[in-house]
Amino acid sequence: MRKIFILMAFALASAVTYAGGYRVGVQGQRALAMGHTGVAVVNSAELGFFNPAGLVHLENQLTISAGVSAVFSEVAWQNSVTGETARTDNPAGTPFYFNASYKLNDNLAVGLSVYTPYGSTVKWEDDWAGSHLVNNIELQAIYIQPLVSYQIADFVSIGGGPIFVTGSVNFNRNLTRTLSDIEGNRSNVTIDASGVNEFGWSAGALFTPTEALKVGVNYRSEIIMNAEGGEADFENIPNTPLAPFQDTTFDAELPLPAELTVGLSYELNEKWLLAFDLNRTFWGVYESLDITFANGTVSSNPRAYEDSNTWRFGAQYAATEKLTLRAGYYLDESPVQPGYFAPETPRNDSMGFTGGLSLDVTSRLAIDASFAYIRFDEVDASYNHYFDENGQNIPFGGTYKSVAFIPGLGVTYKM
């Protein structure tokens, strides 16, 4: 029984890893079209996420930016020895954002930002070779952040605010590689934790040494999600004393790492704007995940993540008075280390190619559109920390190839 609890703990740890390690940034259509740069770009209320220090620099008294994207992703796996294959059949994810900014005076602005940096579903084929590690994962996390932006001098402004996070996770996997009931249905467990709420904060600064050059920095704090009283539901358990599995509850701490982003933007002329961001995610905090079950069993699960960087480049071109075109590129480093690559987290280095546009429908309303094509490096890797029901360490590996396509649509309103 203790061994199966450890397997359950591993499942939950993997689900949390997926929430961060596989996150694709879609916190604004204008920013995403420019390679997800934004810490030093002042063009919409999307600054609420990227750098609230810039809100006070927006020209209009009221600015609202809202939108939604559709994330279409697929992962293919192949056994490097036997040639056996499997693919995911993921439904489209729909991350959204809402940002609003209101200028109280020339030096002070307030705002509100709501966004979903974590939230997707991974669903593998039925009875695939890695079903003892994962069948499917469903994740959701919503960030709600009130904001204040203040210009303390002609060349510098600051901003930030507290973050309220509410989230949930649902994870299903088979109990072992062979266990089934009398009718041949594979024994499985579903782990569910909902209504997990915590707080964090973010703060930023924006420097304007010249009219054309802006330099920004933004920090988002680490948030530890404390899941208490989560449910573990067992299905298709054989009627034998050798499989005494019963529904139970658990507590766990789920880490969401801190992030630091620095960047700059430069206006070449009235038509061209260039931007660069460097994002550092402090994944080193995710060394292991400790889980306590209702029967007192405590499990510690190694993850051994390392801090990683994302390099982002973007350009904006004002084609006409009403039409603005954008393009970008980013290189995203994986935090997953050799020996820790699990099918719950098919996460390797990736390149993002992005583009989009804004069309002014009226003087107050603009439509924003973007798309991103994410190509992940093909990798031959394994997870070497799975223990079966007999306590034997059985690595699971293969060749993974992933791809994602993300179209998005939003609006910007100014008054």
Side-chain angles (χ1 to χ4, degrees), residues 10-11 14-15 17-18 122 124 133-134 137 171 173 342-346:
F10 166 77
S14 302
T17 302
Y18 177 87
V122 173
W124 286 92
L133 296 177
V134 59
I137 305 171
F171 183 95
R173 56 173 289 277
E344 298 88 349
T345 317

Side-chain angles (χ1 to χ4, degrees), residues 308-386:
S308 63
N309 296 322
T310 304
W311 308 80
R312 302 166 177 164
F313 306 87
Q316 175 179 284
Y317 176 69
T320 70
E321 291 184 359
K322 294 183 177 295
L323 179 64
T324 302
L325 305 177
R326 301 182 180 90
Y329 167 84
Y330 66 79
L331 176 63
D332 190 0
E333 300 175 350
S334 171
V336 181
Q337 301 307 300
Y340 292 87
F341 195 98
E344 298 88 349
T345 317
R347 176 65 174 83
N348 33 312
D349 293 347
S350 65
M351 294 184 294
F353 304 88
T354 70
L357 57 85
S358 289
L359 178 64
D360 292 341
V361 180
T362 69
S363 60
R364 295 184 177 182
L365 180 65
I367 296 175
D368 305 316
S370 72
F371 74 87
Y373 171 73
I374 317 299
R375 184 183 181 277
F376 296 83
D377 291 348
E378 183 175 312
V379 61
D380 190 2
S382 64
Y383 187 84
N384 301 333
H385 304 274
Y386 169 78

